[in-house]
Amino acid sequence: MTGLRARATAAFDEAIRGLRAVPLPGLDKAAEDLAACRARLSGPMRVALVGRVSSGKSTLANALLGAPLAPTGVEELTFNVNWIGHGPRRELTVHFTDGRPPERRDPAGLEALTVRARDGDKQHRRLLRAIDYLRVTDPNEHLRAFDLVDTPGLDSVFQTDSQNTLRFLGRTGDDVRAASAAHASRADALVVVFARGLAANEEELLADFAGPGVGGSGPVTTIAALTKVELSWPQHPDPLAEGRRLAERVMSAPGARRVLYEVRPIASLVAAAAATFTDDELGDLIGLSNVDPSTLERRLRRGPFFATREYEDLPVPPERRAALLRRFGQYGIWLAAGLVRDGARDAAELRAELTARSGLPGFRALLTGHFGNRAELIKLRGALDLAYRLRDRRAATLGPHERTVLLDACAPLLALDRDEHAFRELEVLRLYYDDALSFTPDDAADLLRVTGEHGTAPADRLGLPTPAAPPELLAAARARLGEWAARDLDPLYEGRTRRAVQVVRRSYERLVSTVREPA
């Protein structure tokens, strides 16, 4: 894929040079637009967390990053877009909607700029309303793989909040789309976050995914997290198993697989607590682990009373129990105390056990695998699509001659789009997820494998164990090519399905060329 990025960079450079070579008004701005798109090619993939208010997006962000980088609140609402990326030090930059230059702020003030308080002076409220998004950098190692964009709820009672989210993502009507056309911070992929208990049934949950402003490019670039599954405890002793059951029902709902690749349940509060609990809290958990399990469960079942009542049979005072309840939730305390009781009395061991039982490792693997295997291609596709939108927007404001120059200058981008086989593979994948192809299950499995679902190395694309010797790779590639060449001649494959067969056949031809034994 590095070769494709080099070709894409060259195409953007040629287009930008073509615009800058003609000193006409308006073309300099078009060149700046394309330069912003080009800059995205060398940056990390941008993954946005979207969903309804109180779905647990910020908590999930902290769990994924293993650190409290995204402020969370109980009674407040996160209302600004927070773009979190890798950097050598912790920094905070505020970007505004009113045209003023970005401002560097003390990172310690992030919460004051992110969480909507119920009070505050008028000047501070005016500042908050003027914020477009916040850029946070941190040396967190997880951020080397992708930038994470934490957004407000799309159903926010504050209309401006939702507009800020949608403008950032570039996924709503003409007014917001026009405002976002020059926004270089658009997400490449989406994690739709929904919480157990925020909807009455699977159909209502699915409506959150497919509603206005949320729909992305379908399963190729969209996965979902079912958060707060710990709330099903104690009714369900194993909340993650209950979460998996609900996730399966969601994915079996009509139309789900056209929108989402997969739904994964996460005990997100447990996962975030695993990364952030303090030594003092560990000491309190050790104390609670010495309580008779049936007594501890009975006290935890009482919910908020666990944090406010004096109990002689609990060795931790109410105010410290309240801190534990905020951090871990009822199930998290129950789980952590049980793990400590079973021997996980060391902080590192307890963190590892809590993380493993939260469902986070599987979700993180899905995130880095499903998106990561095609991260480069998704970024390139996104950069090209954005370039086309910017081109069309600028063209609408230019005179006939300037418009002709602009369209001619963009010819290298169109040629790249037309000639690159990887983009054709992406188109076929989208047709497959839209149920527009008459593929058998074996055909579909082959399609997903050869297009990089399980990895982009030749062995991954051929379904062979790694490492595989060149003769084995070549034999497998030739055998698969023969099978798909036969399908290409089969009259049962028609229309879109035949074109998809031809794309897959070409994918195997390229693999044969890649793994051919040296002369």
Side-chain angles (χ1 to χ4, degrees):
M1 201 61 68
T2 302
L4 175 54
R5 182 170 65 179
R7 291 190 291 276
T9 300
F12 272 103
D13 286 344
E14 185 177 350
I16 293 167
R17 283 196 301 270
L19 291 173
R20 289 176 174 167
V22 182
L24 289 173
L27 295 185
D28 54 341
K29 291 295 185 182
E32 291 177 11
D33 292 341
L34 293 187
C37 296
R38 182 198 182 282
R40 292 185 59 174
L41 301 182
S42 58
M45 188 175 185
R46 295 163 183 170
V47 178
L49 307 178
V50 297
R52 296 168 66 180
V53 166
S54 298
S55 58
K57 297 178 295 297
S58 298
T59 300
L60 177 59
N62 290 334
L64 284 168
L65 299 177
L69 296 182
T72 59
V74 178
E75 295 182 353
E76 300 89 356
L77 296 175
T78 300
F79 72 100
N80 273 320
V81 173
N82 301 320
W83 174 16
I84 309 170
H86 188 269
R89 63 188 65 85
R90 185 80 184 276
E91 293 182 345
L92 168 63
T93 305
V94 183
H95 295 255
F96 298 95
T97 60
D98 56 10
R100 79 179 87 169
E103 293 181 7
R104 185 72 57 81
R105 295 283 183 121
D106 183 350
L110 176 62
E111 183 168 348
L113 298 173
T114 306
V115 178
R116 183 187 295 277
R118 298 306 183 187
D119 51 18
D121 59 70
K122 291 182 179 180
Q123 183 176 356
H124 186 64
R125 289 200 297 270
R126 283 196 297 270
L127 169 65
L128 298 183
R129 283 195 295 268
I131 293 175
D132 185 11
Y133 69 98
L134 305 172
R135 178 74 161 107
V136 179
T137 61
D138 192 90
N140 187 294
E141 286 301 306
H142 293 299
L143 290 169
R144 291 188 182 277
F146 50 81
D147 284 359
L148 198 61
V149 183
D150 181 25
T151 72
L154 292 175
D155 59 340
S156 172
V157 295
F158 303 100
Q159 185 61 25
T160 300
D161 306 353
S162 288
Q163 289 182 356
N164 280 353
T165 297
L166 297 171
R167 179 171 56 252
F168 189 93
L169 298 173
R171 301 187 190 276
T172 188
D174 293 339
D175 53 341
V176 176
R177 187 175 295 113
S180 67
H183 210 305
S185 307
R186 194 164 303 168
D188 298 302
L190 300 181
V191 173
V192 181
V193 182
F194 64 99
R196 178 194 175 277
L198 282 187
N201 51 49
E202 291 75 25
E203 289 73 19
E204 186 176 331
L205 288 173
L206 190 60
D208 287 348
F209 311 149
V214 178
S217 300
V220 175
T221 56
T222 309
I223 62 176
L226 172 61
T227 59
K228 300 186 179 182
V229 298
E230 54 265 70
L231 296 181
S232 66
W233 185 90
Q235 180 183 358
H236 296 281
D238 186 346
L240 208 59
E242 171 63 11
R244 286 192 289 268
R245 184 194 65 79
L246 180 56
E248 290 173 1
R249 287 175 58 187
V250 171
M251 289 305 295
S252 65
R257 297 191 181 278
R258 297 186 181 185
V259 182
L260 300 169
Y261 175 72
E262 191 171 342
V263 179
R264 286 287 179 92
I266 305 174
S268 49
L269 194 59
V270 173
T276 60
F277 70 78
T278 66
D279 289 340
D280 288 342
E281 289 167 338
L282 173 59
D284 288 338
L285 290 170
I286 292 174
L288 292 175
S289 72
N290 295 320
V291 176
D292 176 73
S294 62
T295 299
L296 180 60
E297 179 179 352
R298 187 170 66 253
R299 298 305 185 203
L300 282 168
R301 281 174 175 267
R302 301 205 67 191
F305 292 123
F306 175 81
T308 58
R309 296 289 177 87
E310 294 284 353
Y311 293 119
E312 293 183 357
D313 48 14
L314 295 182
V316 180
E319 65 273 12
R320 299 214 311 258
R321 279 184 260 131
L324 285 178
L325 194 60
R326 286 193 297 270
R327 175 87 71 184
F328 286 85
Q330 294 163 273
Y331 173 68
I333 294 174
W334 169 254
L335 176 61
L339 291 171
V340 171
R341 194 181 305 117
D342 292 339
R345 304 176 75 88
D346 172 78
E349 186 177 359
L350 181 58
R351 293 186 197 281
E353 288 291 337
L354 285 171
T355 300
R357 293 167 187 257
S358 70
L360 181 66
F363 183 80
R364 187 179 277 140
L366 173 65
L367 180 68
T368 57
H370 182 63
F371 290 157
N373 290 338
R374 301 191 184 99
E376 193 83 346
L377 179 59
I378 292 171
K379 275 198 312 175
L380 294 175
R381 180 71 268 170
L384 280 175
D385 290 343
L386 179 58
Y388 295 153
R389 289 193 290 272
L390 294 175
R391 175 202 64 186
D392 295 342
R393 179 188 174 214
R394 293 293 177 191
T397 66
L398 299 175
H401 180 53
E402 292 170 302
R403 186 161 51 246
T404 298
V405 173
L406 172 59
L407 297 178
D408 288 346
C410 289
L413 301 178
L414 294 172
L416 174 75
D417 200 353
R418 181 186 63 245
D419 298 338
E420 283 298 336
H421 179 71
F423 294 137
R424 306 292 80 75
E425 290 182 334
L426 204 57
E427 291 170 2
V428 170
L429 280 173
R430 287 170 177 162
L431 289 173
Y432 164 71
Y433 286 122
D434 281 340
D435 288 333
L437 301 179
S438 300
F439 272 10
T440 67
D442 287 343
D443 289 345
D446 227 8
L447 165 66
L448 295 175
R449 185 169 50 242
V450 78
T451 54
E453 182 64 41
H454 309 299
T456 56
D460 297 326
R461 291 178 181 265
L462 290 166
L464 298 177
T466 304
E472 185 181 6
L473 291 171
L474 183 60
R478 283 175 170 167
R480 298 278 171 75
L481 174 57
E483 294 169 4
W484 284 88
R487 289 182 178 87
D488 193 12
L489 298 175
D490 191 332
L492 293 178
Y493 292 98
E494 299 177 330
R496 289 178 173 178
T497 300
R498 174 170 295 282
R499 290 193 294 274
V501 167
Q502 292 168 347
V503 169
V504 177
R505 174 181 179 174
R506 176 59 179 152
S507 296
Y508 281 115
E509 289 174 349
R510 291 164 64 88
L511 271 176
V512 168
S513 177
T514 299
V515 303
R516 182 176 292 123
E517 292 177 287

